[in-house]
Amino acid sequence: MRKLLLIALLALLSGCNSELSFSEVREDSVNKEVWSFLSDVQDKNGAHLFFEKEKAVYVYLNESNVIAGEAATYFTDINVEGNGETLTITYDTNETTDLSNQSLDHSLIYKINLDQQYDTIKAIRNGEESSFGTVSGN
C-alpha cells in the first residue's frame, strides 16, 4: 500500500512540474498532422509554427528554397525562452554561396514542449524581431 501511495504521489508531482524545453526533431518522427503541415509549407522560406493542442509547438525553420545565382541561407543557432506571457524563439542565420556544403542546415524542425499557455510568441532572427510565415495547428 505504501509503494502504491508513493507511486501515485510521484506521478502527481511529475505532472505538475512541466518545464519549457525544446529539441530538434526529424521529419520522419513527427505525427501525421505535423507532417502534413510541413509538406504544405516546404516551398516557403521562413519560420513556420504548428501548434499541437496546448502541449507543444513545432517550429519549422526553412531556407531550403534557393534562387539560382543568390546566396543560400543556413541556420546556426536557436534558443527558446519563456518570460511571463511571452514565448520568444530566437534564431541566427548566415549566408553562403557554397551550395555543395552538406553540413549546413538549410531547414530545421524543433519541438517546443510548453510549460504554460503563452499569449504572445515572438520570432527574433539575427537579433531583430521577425514574423512567422505560416501559423497553424490543432
Side-chain angles (χ1 to χ4, degrees):
M1 181 71 171
R2 201 177 264 179
K3 275 187 175 180
L4 185 59
L5 184 58
L6 181 61
I7 291 171
L9 181 61
L10 286 174
L12 179 65
L13 290 175
S14 66
C16 296
N17 190 20
S18 62
E19 291 185 23
L20 180 64
S21 64
F22 69 99
S23 60
E24 186 174 358
V25 296
R26 293 189 341 252
E27 186 175 340
D28 62 359
S29 71
V30 299
N31 66 39
K32 186 177 175 180
E33 290 85 11
V34 176
W35 186 87
S36 177
F37 170 75
L38 296 173
S39 296
D40 289 345
V41 299
Q42 70 183 352
D43 294 333
K44 301 174 187 174
N45 286 343
H48 310 281
L49 291 181
F50 183 87
F51 291 87
E52 184 179 48
K53 304 195 181 189
E54 296 177 4
K55 302 182 303 181
V57 177
Y58 287 85
V59 181
Y60 179 37
L61 301 174
N62 185 28
E63 291 291 340
S64 62
N65 302 296
V66 180
I67 298 172
E70 292 189 9
T73 301
Y74 62 96
F75 299 96
T76 60
D77 191 29
I78 183 172
N79 192 35
V80 176
E81 290 182 358
N83 186 5
E85 299 299 317
T86 302
L87 180 68
T88 303
I89 302 167
T90 305
Y91 61 97
D92 295 323
T93 63
N94 275 326
E95 292 185 344
T96 184
T97 55
D98 180 8
L99 301 181
S100 65
N101 189 343
Q102 298 296 316
S103 68
L104 301 178
D105 293 317
H106 299 283
S107 67
L108 297 169
I109 306 165
Y110 282 89
K111 181 179 182 181
I112 302 171
N113 295 304
L114 299 174
D115 59 340
Q116 66 178 51
Q117 288 186 335
Y118 291 95
D119 290 338
T120 305
I121 299 180
K122 286 185 180 180
I124 306 293
R125 178 180 176 150
N126 295 331
E128 296 184 16
E129 193 162 343
S130 185
S131 60
F132 295 101
T134 307
V135 178
S136 187
N138 56 18

